[in-house]
Amino acid sequence: MKANDPNALLARDANEAARAGLSYGAWRSLKDSQKLADKVHFRRAQQVAEIQRKRGKKK
């Protein structure tokens, strides 16, 4: 399987969805929402770290 072959990637994703007992659309939606949540959590963690650095400089 080539890494950039779209048919192979689609087949891999479809197999993973089938193993999870989900339709491809439901599985894709779940994966997309997980990616979005990861981005939000990462941004929030960066904001918290920046606030903590600024508070540390004031003392």
Side-chain angles (χ1 to χ4, degrees):
M1 174 175 94
K2 287 187 174 181
N4 58 358
D5 182 13
N7 292 330
L9 296 176
L10 182 61
R12 183 197 64 196
D13 290 351
N15 288 337
E16 190 172 333
R19 281 193 306 257
L22 299 169
S23 69
Y24 178 77
W27 178 84
R28 186 78 256 162
S29 175
L30 181 67
K31 286 292 183 181
D32 290 344
S33 65
Q34 288 173 346
K35 286 179 184 177
L36 179 62
D38 289 345
K39 286 180 184 178
V40 169
H41 293 312
F42 180 74
R43 265 197 311 268
R44 181 67 186 144
Q46 284 182 321
Q47 290 171 345
V48 168
E50 184 178 341
I51 290 169
Q52 289 174 344
R53 278 194 304 270
K54 287 180 179 178
R55 285 184 182 159
K57 289 180 181 179
K58 289 182 182 178
K59 292 181 181 179

